[in-house]
Amino acid sequence: MRWRVSAPRPQLHPFPRGVPGRLSSRRSPPRPRSNTASTRPGHHSDSKRESGHSDGKMITNRCSGSRRGRGCQANTSTCWTSQHAPRQIQRRALLREGPTFFMGHILPLTSDPKPVFFPTRPQLCKHRWEMDSRHIQDPASQRLTWNKPPANVLVIRKIRDETLVEPFKELCRFLVEEKGMMVYVERRVVDDATLSQDETFGSIRDQLCTFREGYDDISDCIDLIICLGGDGTLLYASSLFQGSVPPVVAFHLGSLGFLTPFKFESYKTEVAKVFEGNAAITLRSRLKVKVVKDLLQRAHQQQELNGLLPPSHTTSEAGKVTLQLQVLNEVVVDRGPSSYLSNVDLYLNGRLITSVQGDGVIVSTPTGSTAYAAAAGASMIHPNVPAIMVTPICPHSLSFRPIVVPAGVELMITLSPDARNTAWVSFDGRKRQEIQHGDCIKITTSCYPLPSICCHDLVYDWFESLAQCLHWNVRKRQARLADDLSDNSDTEN
């Protein structure tokens, strides 16, 4: 992998002086030093500090590396060890299966296909153990860093739009002739009649590498993706990579452009900045979705106990996985062409949460919260928030509001036993298929996010898109009162 996401190391803040063995802002009075071993469990005298941690849970009074005259400030501080940290901290540092976030970020830092995850756990300071939970990582500090200069670039162009032919040719000519890049494009784009008849573009067209979706795997060949189009073009680029996704530069040449912050007029400058590295980046989480057929077919006669499915029916071994996808925006389950209400059951980590009766349900990422979910009444979530949003579509209930669940859970959607009709599911608006009784849809957060390069920074770009594309909180300004008028008429006699 030629790229990685870098961030400055968080500043370590020492524990307050004189706080014996607990995280608290209240200071305790200094305890007298004694040469005899204390009878309190977990307390060590000075004679035991050099011989390891023994059976105790903390080291008090003095850090093992501190000596008078060395400038150490840990003389009266308490130092937690990583192996004997409090049980609450051990639970917080526990690695679970599936995606693990470091303050809401997934950091692919190595060449291994699976990203490296940093859990919240004790960190070693110079003379003491330090808790990372005392520092909140600033998402704006995430920067794109190239381990090697990029060599292969994938250019995705919005099809059926003749206005993008000239920008596409101009970008390809710049990448091939001036930057010396190997450019990959779709075969149907190269075979376009407009490009085929352009003799001036013939020399550039012969140097392009072509591929076909569903036939050629280019996931291990691409270092950078450049999109020319709108939000749908970015969604299509995400679908081409079912594993690790290269960084994406999206130019706004489509209709809405909520996910495309760059203007094509300055494409040379923007692309050159990206090649140099140190660009702000947003890791947009994706959903890992599995469609399992006949998972519950053999369990339809068994009763659920307290809404909990039997363990044998929550594994993919009981059914056949017919489809597995990485979804950037949302998974939509709806009633399809039927006139009946959609009736599906929603499970969270194998336990029944609720039944959705209405037109359907939307399971979206924070990126997708500004798409179909926003139209259905959901809140808009910043893409750096690790969460999954569940939004009903026209529910037949006045109290069914959208909910947000943690990113590490697994959601499962099935048809209710008393459902009158089947349901239909689509993934980012594509690959629509029918869901019948006994089938299920398993959804969890993917460990392969989409790294989207920011034009300015991830906070400014998001609010700029809210204002420019969705006209968020746009209204006429209230006129100010004249200086000689007062709004305190209710207090006058």
Side-chain angles (χ1 to χ4, degrees):
M1 184 178 294
R2 293 176 178 266
W3 65 278
R4 62 185 175 91
V5 179
S6 61
R9 297 181 60 183
Q11 181 180 0
L12 298 178
H13 305 283
F15 285 113
R17 294 167 58 94
V19 182
R22 66 178 185 271
L23 295 178
S24 174
S25 59
R26 183 181 302 173
R27 294 200 174 194
S28 302
R31 297 186 177 182
R33 299 169 60 182
S34 174
N35 295 329
T36 61
S38 174
T39 58
R40 296 195 310 273
H43 188 270
H44 295 266
S45 63
D46 292 343
S47 61
K48 291 186 178 182
R49 280 194 302 270
E50 303 294 339
S51 60
H53 303 124
S54 184
D55 57 346
K57 294 184 178 180
M58 54 187 172
I59 305 174
T60 58
N61 290 339
R62 188 187 297 267
C63 186
S64 61
S66 63
R67 294 292 185 270
R68 290 185 179 273
R70 293 189 182 182
C72 180
Q73 302 296 325
N75 291 340
T76 60
S77 298
T78 296
C79 305
W80 293 104
T81 65
S82 62
Q83 298 178 354
H84 305 94
R87 184 170 300 176
Q88 178 183 2
I89 304 302
Q90 289 180 353
R91 288 198 303 266
R92 191 179 304 170
L94 183 64
L95 281 172
R96 299 178 179 177
E97 280 189 50
T100 305
F101 291 86
F102 172 64
M103 297 302 176
H105 312 304
I106 304 180
L107 306 179
L109 297 177
T110 66
S111 58
D112 188 79
K114 187 175 182 180
V116 178
F117 304 113
F118 293 88
T120 303
R121 59 178 300 178
Q123 296 292 324
L124 178 62
C125 188
K126 183 178 181 181
H127 293 305
R128 67 195 71 190
W129 287 96
E130 173 70 20
M131 307 311 299
D132 250 356
S133 58
R134 296 171 61 89
H135 177 86
I136 298 178
Q137 180 74 31
D138 182 12
S141 62
Q142 295 176 163
R143 314 295 294 185
L144 172 65
T145 302
W146 295 102
N147 296 326
K148 296 180 180 179
N152 303 321
V153 180
L154 172 63
V155 178
I156 301 295
R157 195 202 87 181
K158 180 181 179 181
I159 60 174
R160 296 190 298 272
D161 191 346
E162 298 299 330
T163 61
L164 298 185
V165 174
E166 290 301 324
F168 173 77
K169 294 191 297 184
E170 187 176 348
L171 176 63
C172 291
R173 185 176 289 107
F174 168 74
L175 294 175
V176 173
E177 295 182 349
E178 298 188 26
K179 294 298 182 180
M181 297 288 175
M182 184 68 69
V183 179
Y184 289 76
V185 298
E186 291 185 274
R187 178 173 297 181
R188 58 177 177 175
V189 174
V190 177
D191 294 341
D192 185 86
T194 305
L195 291 178
S196 302
Q197 299 173 0
D198 190 353
E199 298 179 356
T200 60
F201 191 70
S203 60
I204 302 297
R205 185 176 60 251
D206 295 339
Q207 301 181 51
L208 300 179
C209 299
T210 61
F211 70 95
R212 293 181 300 169
E213 180 189 8
Y215 294 92
D216 304 319
D217 184 14
I218 60 171
S219 57
D220 296 332
C221 308
I222 304 302
D223 302 323
L224 179 68
I225 304 174
I226 299 179
C227 294
L228 303 179
D231 295 344
T233 308
L234 181 62
L235 294 177
Y236 174 70
S238 172
S239 67
L240 297 176
F241 296 85
Q242 296 302 306
S244 179
V245 187
V248 180
V249 182
F251 288 96
H252 177 32
L253 291 172
S255 303
L256 185 62
F258 191 91
L259 305 178
T260 55
F262 291 95
K263 297 183 181 299
F264 188 77
E265 290 76 10
S266 58
Y267 77 94
K268 290 187 177 181
T269 303
E270 302 297 346
V271 172
K273 289 181 180 179
V274 173
F275 287 163
E276 295 174 359
N278 197 32
I281 195 168
T282 300
L283 295 178
R284 298 184 180 273
S285 62
R286 299 194 295 175
L287 298 177
K288 182 176 69 173
V289 186
K290 293 181 181 179
V291 178
V292 185
K293 295 292 185 180
D294 300 329
L295 175 63
L296 304 177
Q297 192 67 30
R298 292 176 291 176
H300 68 280
Q301 295 179 350
Q302 297 187 9
Q303 299 293 329
E304 298 174 5
L305 180 60
N306 295 329
L308 187 64
L309 287 177
S312 60
H313 302 135
T314 58
T315 62
S316 60
E317 298 177 356
K320 179 182 178 182
V321 179
T322 60
L323 184 64
Q324 182 169 335
L325 292 174
Q326 304 283 332
V327 177
L328 179 60
N329 260 3
E330 74 270 313
V331 178
V332 179
V333 179
D334 57 73
R335 59 189 176 94
S338 175
S339 59
Y340 291 110
L341 287 176
S342 174
N343 194 352
V344 296
D345 292 337
L346 178 64
Y347 294 84
L348 191 147
N349 289 340
R351 184 174 294 276
L352 179 64
I353 299 301
T354 187
S355 295
V356 182
Q357 298 184 82
D359 283 352
V361 63
I362 305 170
V363 180
S364 61
T365 63
T367 298
S369 67
T370 54
Y372 193 177
S379 297
M380 294 178 290
I381 304 178
H382 191 276
N384 268 81
V385 178
I388 300 176
M389 174 168 285
V390 180
T391 307
I393 306 174
C394 298
H396 200 251
S397 171
L398 297 178
S399 60
F400 197 169
R401 306 304 303 159
I403 60 173
V404 178
V405 297
V409 303
E410 182 185 64
L411 297 174
M412 187 172 68
I413 301 176
T414 66
L415 277 178
S416 297
D418 54 350
R420 296 183 178 183
N421 59 309
T422 61
W424 289 77
V425 59
S426 61
F427 313 93
D428 282 343
R430 309 181 72 207
K431 300 185 183 296
R432 185 173 174 84
Q433 59 181 270
E434 189 176 11
I435 300 298
Q436 301 177 352
H437 286 280
D439 304 342
C440 81
I441 307 166
K442 292 187 174 183
I443 306 171
T444 187
T445 301
S446 171
C447 60
Y448 298 107
L450 184 138
S452 177
I453 298 179
C454 304
C455 182
H456 300 92
D457 60 73
L458 63 146
V459 176
Y460 178 86
D461 286 359
W462 192 67
F463 281 99
E464 183 73 9
S465 296
L466 287 180
Q468 297 296 328
C469 300
L470 300 183
H471 301 289
W472 177 63
N473 197 27
V474 175
R475 67 178 297 272
K476 282 189 174 182
R477 301 289 297 180
Q478 186 180 38
R480 65 186 301 270
L481 294 175
D483 295 338
D484 57 342
L485 298 180
S486 174
D487 58 352
N488 297 327
S489 58
D490 56 339
T491 60
E492 296 178 359
N493 294 330

